[in-house]
Amino acid sequence: MSEITHRTVETNGIRLHVAEAGEGPLVLLLHGWPESWYSWRHQLPVLARAGYRVVAPDVRGYGRSDAPLEVEAYRMKALVADFVGLLDSLGERTAVVVGHDWGAAMAWDCAALHPERFRAVVGMSVPHLGRPPLPPTQLFRKAFGDQWFYILYFQEPGVAEAELEADIPRTMRTVLAGTAGFDVTSEVVRARKPGDEFLTGVPTPERLPSWLTEEDVAYFVGEFSRRGFRGGLNRYRNMDRDWAELPELATVKIEQPALFLVGEKDPGRAFAPVDLMKPLVPNLREVRVLPGAGHWIQQERADEVNAALLEFLASLPA
């Protein structure tokens, strides 16, 4: 990782830690939950060598970035403003924005709300679904009824934090390498009852998959041991607030060139249908499903993701 440098940048009234590499057109990489800039460790040097300036921040609430206390500090409007301000602080007028998981939702919204600043967009794992007809938590309650659902479990401040922070090494190992609590297709998760937790019934794997090393897990453990899980969980607690604050997402179209990547075995596919995205993203160049891959695709399938990103970036106007 000798090509990657680190610094702190001021934007939108907070400080973001960023990892960066290379020179050229800017590519902004946004991570999801529960991750950090480190999730892009395989992309930063490859894109940099291909002639791009690549910047991966710790999103507010994560790693070495600021973590405001208030729940509302993690609403989508604030996060998008962070990234617009980050472009300003980097001295860049435009960027290609790439996001995974919650970072994908942020990337899509950056492109939708600020097309003059984000000239193309890549989403991974989470499609752009616009604005639903009802606040998201109401939809989830209708869809899942009495069935346990992780986003509803995350809503009460302090509850999930206490569980996940009780044994951070177990949490990170289980979430990254085991059956995650967001896998609504798994029998373990489907068997949960009210009062169960995110990791209830999930064994912690002794052996890691080939794409994840003990050093990788240790890095994530260190980041969440420093910062805790509150900031990332607060993102889930703003979904209804976002619905109220951003009504334009119901109709605005993302006209920029776009790419969507998803793992064939990503559990999110069970409740985030890609077809709903297509009318809102008319210049969606491709939906690429990576055979056999799960949720953490830029880590699991780094070579394939890098190839897809390089192909997409090369297709864009200079």
Side-chain angles (χ1 to χ4, degrees), residues 33-94:
W33 182 90
E35 301 182 79
S36 82
W37 77 267
Y38 189 78
S39 302
W40 302 105
R41 61 194 177 280
H42 302 302
Q43 285 69 48
L44 281 150
V46 171
L47 298 184
R49 285 194 293 270
Y52 298 95
R53 182 184 187 186
V54 195
V55 175
D58 283 334
V59 174
R60 66 161 65 194
Y62 291 85
R64 285 169 271 175
S65 291
D66 283 353
L69 293 175
E70 302 83 8
V71 170
E72 61 270 21
Y74 297 86
R75 67 196 188 280
M76 188 60 78
K77 271 191 170 183
L79 290 159
V80 170
D82 287 351
F83 306 131
V84 172
L86 179 56
L87 266 60
D88 294 337
S89 295
L90 295 171
E92 300 278 2
R93 195 182 76 81
T94 64

Side-chain angles (χ1 to χ4, degrees), residues 17-295:
H17 162 256
V18 301
E20 54 189 335
E23 296 180 355
L26 178 61
V27 180
L28 182 64
L29 304 176
L30 305 179
H31 69 80
W33 182 90
E35 301 182 79
S36 82
W37 77 267
Y38 189 78
S39 302
W40 302 105
R41 61 194 177 280
H42 302 302
Q43 285 69 48
L44 281 150
V46 171
L47 298 184
R49 285 194 293 270
Y52 298 95
R53 182 184 187 186
V54 195
V55 175
D58 283 334
V59 174
R60 66 161 65 194
Y62 291 85
R64 285 169 271 175
S65 291
D66 283 353
L69 293 175
E70 302 83 8
V71 170
E72 61 270 21
Y74 297 86
R75 67 196 188 280
M76 188 60 78
K77 271 191 170 183
L79 290 159
V80 170
D82 287 351
F83 306 131
V84 172
L86 179 56
L87 266 60
D88 294 337
S89 295
L90 295 171
E92 300 278 2
R93 195 182 76 81
T94 64
V96 176
V97 61
V98 180
H100 171 255
D101 186 81
W102 264 120
M106 297 171 201
W108 294 121
D109 288 353
C110 282
L113 300 172
H114 295 279
E116 76 286 358
R117 304 303 300 271
F118 299 97
R119 64 190 183 94
V121 56
V122 180
M124 299 185 191
S125 301
V126 175
H128 178 59
L129 300 180
R131 183 180 187 259
L134 294 172
T137 61
Q138 290 186 31
L139 285 181
F140 295 143
R141 290 187 176 95
K142 283 178 176 289
F144 290 93
D146 294 333
Q147 184 182 343
W148 188 95
F149 185 54
Y150 76 105
I151 291 178
L152 297 175
Y153 168 66
F154 284 168
Q155 292 304 306
E156 183 62 33
V159 174
E161 287 93 327
E163 178 200 359
L164 300 175
E165 292 170 10
D167 186 343
I168 292 175
R170 173 182 177 248
T171 293
M172 293 312 302
R173 193 178 189 92
T174 306
V175 171
L176 292 172
T179 300
F182 52 77
D183 186 354
V184 299
T185 66
S186 116
E187 290 303 318
V188 168
V189 175
R190 290 171 63 86
R192 289 186 185 160
K193 300 175 176 59
D196 284 347
E197 298 182 322
F198 189 71
L199 301 176
T200 296
V202 179
T204 301
E206 293 183 11
R207 298 185 62 182
L208 298 176
S210 60
W211 57 268
L212 188 68
T213 69
E214 295 291 351
E215 291 77 17
D216 295 335
V217 174
Y219 189 90
F220 285 114
V221 169
E223 295 297 271
F224 285 94
S225 295
R226 175 192 303 112
R227 182 58 75 201
F229 287 85
R230 185 193 68 246
L233 290 167
N234 279 341
R235 173 84 285 277
Y236 292 92
R237 296 164 187 154
N238 278 280
M239 296 178 77
D240 289 353
R241 182 177 283 108
D242 297 337
W243 185 89
E245 289 189 346
L246 296 169
E248 60 268 41
L249 290 179
T251 55
V252 68
K253 288 181 168 53
I254 295 174
E255 303 284 356
Q256 302 94 308
L259 171 67
F260 182 64
L261 306 175
V262 65
E264 178 190 18
K265 297 182 178 179
D266 191 321
R269 297 181 74 195
F271 58 89
V274 173
D275 285 347
L276 296 179
M277 169 171 65
K278 294 177 180 178
L280 293 171
V281 190
N283 201 5
L284 181 63
R285 301 271 185 89
E286 183 182 5
V287 173
R288 186 174 299 189
V289 180
L290 303 188
H295 182 66

Side-chain angles (χ1 to χ4, degrees), residues 8-21:
T8 298
V9 176
E10 293 191 4
T11 170
N12 191 31
I14 66 167
R15 294 168 299 171
L16 292 183
H17 162 256
V18 301
E20 54 189 335

